[in-house]
Amino acid sequence: MLIKIGNYFVDPTEIAAVGGEFADIDGIHYINIWLRKNEQSVLVESTMDEAEAALIDADVIEDPADDPMALIVEEMELLEQLDDEGYHFLARDRDGKLFAYRHMPTYDGAYWNPETPVNDEVKALNRDACPFVTVDDAAPFDIREVLP
């Protein structure tokens, strides 16, 4: 079975790596596809996103969105930054707002509340961050459980 990546048809079993995305002077995006066969590199007119989508559709790689606990690099960096600042728990209120807490908060059925009403006890985060923290969680997410 061949899959189409950009303007090229590739046997997915021959793909060793995909990378090296760049745009030429005309703004056309290219990526390199390294093939196991003859250790050949093929320059393909495509973006990395298009190549990834083709590989996911062909079941060559798994869609990271299929794993709700998959942490993307930016999320892991956010968790490390929060931990460095002393925020160890994440919780999402019933209205969808996400907050970081220094100490384990308590839940009143709609909102998570800090241990003490000190201003630096809670930090508001972007609502779209950390989708693995949901309004249905029974306990706050402990950042330290996922950090090395």
Side-chain angles (χ1 to χ4, degrees):
M1 170 182 105
L2 297 177
I3 60 172
K4 185 174 185 202
I5 299 179
N7 59 352
Y8 201 81
F9 287 92
V10 182
D11 179 348
T13 63
E14 291 296 322
I15 296 174
V18 177
E21 180 176 8
F22 67 93
D24 69 6
I25 195 163
D26 295 323
I28 298 172
H29 288 263
Y30 292 93
I31 60 168
N32 271 313
I33 299 176
W34 289 271
L35 303 174
R36 288 183 182 89
K37 186 185 217 176
N38 302 328
E39 297 180 5
Q40 176 185 2
S41 175
V42 179
L43 190 61
V44 176
E45 185 180 327
S46 175
T47 65
M48 189 61 77
D49 289 342
E50 291 168 343
E52 182 181 46
L55 294 169
I56 289 169
D57 289 346
D59 290 327
V60 175
I61 61 173
E62 289 187 26
D63 187 347
D66 289 344
D67 181 4
M69 288 303 291
L71 298 176
I72 59 173
V73 172
E74 293 85 9
E75 289 171 334
M76 190 58 104
E77 289 172 353
L78 172 62
L79 296 181
E80 289 171 352
Q81 175 189 347
L82 290 169
D83 187 62
D84 289 346
E85 293 173 3
Y87 294 97
H88 304 296
F89 297 93
L90 297 178
R92 194 174 297 276
D93 288 342
R94 189 61 54 200
D95 62 5
K97 292 179 182 172
L98 180 65
F99 295 93
Y101 298 86
R102 292 190 185 277
H103 303 283
M104 186 179 291
T106 57
Y107 191 60
D108 69 9
Y111 300 99
W112 291 91
N113 300 299
E115 184 179 71
T116 59
V118 181
N119 284 345
D120 70 344
E121 179 76 14
V122 179
K123 182 175 187 171
L125 302 174
N126 183 316
R127 182 185 293 257
D128 297 329
C130 305
F132 52 88
V133 178
T134 70
V135 297
D136 298 321
D137 292 342
F141 180 85
D142 188 340
I143 292 170
R144 295 166 292 188
E145 289 183 10
V146 298
L147 293 180

